[in-house]
Amino acid sequence: MKIVPVEEIPLVENVQPTPTDNLMELYKVCQKMENLCQAENGIGLSAVQVGIPWKFFVVRNRDGSFERLVDCEYEAVGTEPLQDGLEGCLSLRNAEGRLRNFSVKRHPKVRITGKKLLIDPDLSLEDVDLELDGLYSVVYQHEIDHHNGILISEIGKEVEIW
């Protein structure tokens, strides 16, 4: 498994809900995505970034464990204005292979709804309905935007940090 070039990311009209009829197969995809995310020193990775047209992504927690999110969406919570932040994306690199950085306006607090794949004690899906702010609010918005056909290069402004 590898991160595909931007031009090979599935088009939004081809992205489908995540197949959940075989959770073991979904978990195998998770493991590959998690390994790739770790190898690339990422915090999140969407299925579309590896060429899989599913509404699915993984997010690495602060303790190194992963969340596996299925068919999630987000909506802003509250009326706070969008906030500027610096983001990189494993799919957007410069000629030297380093991540390109973008200033992106994001909702400071979001509500995430969908499902997550649990692995212990058995494979199962659990409903997700949570509110996030801070770093993980940005990460979830970024990954969900991927399966909605949105890249930070389209909604942000590229910045040089060194």
Side-chain angles (χ1 to χ4, degrees):
M1 180 174 284
K2 66 181 179 78
I3 296 170
V4 299
V6 170
E7 57 274 4
E8 292 180 24
I9 290 176
L11 299 174
V12 67
E13 57 266 20
N14 296 327
V15 176
Q16 302 295 315
T18 307
T20 57
D21 53 331
N22 186 335
L23 294 182
M24 182 53 74
E25 287 304 312
L26 180 58
Y27 179 60
K28 289 176 183 178
V29 172
C30 288
Q31 290 179 309
K32 291 176 184 176
M33 288 176 60
E34 291 166 13
N35 289 338
L36 180 58
C37 189
Q38 281 186 305
E40 295 289 336
N41 200 27
I43 192 168
L45 184 64
S46 174
V48 298
Q49 290 178 273
V50 295
I52 301 171
W54 298 345
K55 293 181 175 186
F56 176 76
F57 62 99
V58 297
V59 172
R60 186 163 38 160
N61 295 313
R62 286 181 174 90
D63 67 2
S65 65
F66 278 88
E67 299 290 335
R68 300 153 191 98
L69 290 302
V70 176
D71 301 338
C72 290
E73 297 299 335
Y74 69 84
E75 63 183 32
V77 173
T79 59
E80 291 182 61
L82 297 174
Q83 295 180 347
D84 282 315
L86 188 64
E87 295 181 36
C89 180
L90 297 175
S91 294
L92 299 169
R93 299 185 182 263
N94 64 20
E96 292 82 35
R98 289 194 309 267
L99 294 182
R100 295 165 55 198
N101 296 287
F102 293 82
S103 175
V104 181
K105 291 185 180 295
R106 295 282 187 193
H107 300 289
K109 188 172 187 178
V110 292
R111 179 178 180 207
I112 306 296
T113 55
K115 297 192 178 296
K116 69 178 172 178
L117 178 65
L118 302 176
I119 60 170
D120 191 27
D122 297 310
L123 292 173
S124 63
L125 291 173
E126 176 180 272
D127 288 336
V128 170
D129 187 349
L130 56 104
E131 290 186 8
L132 295 171
D133 59 10
L135 172 65
Y136 284 93
S137 170
V138 172
V139 172
Y140 278 61
Q141 289 175 76
H142 179 111
E143 299 307 332
I144 291 169
D145 280 352
H146 271 298
H147 68 238
N148 288 324
I150 300 167
L151 291 171
I152 58 173
S153 56
E154 298 166 342
I155 62 171
K157 180 180 179 199
E158 190 164 9
V159 294
E160 293 287 332
I161 28 180
W162 31 64

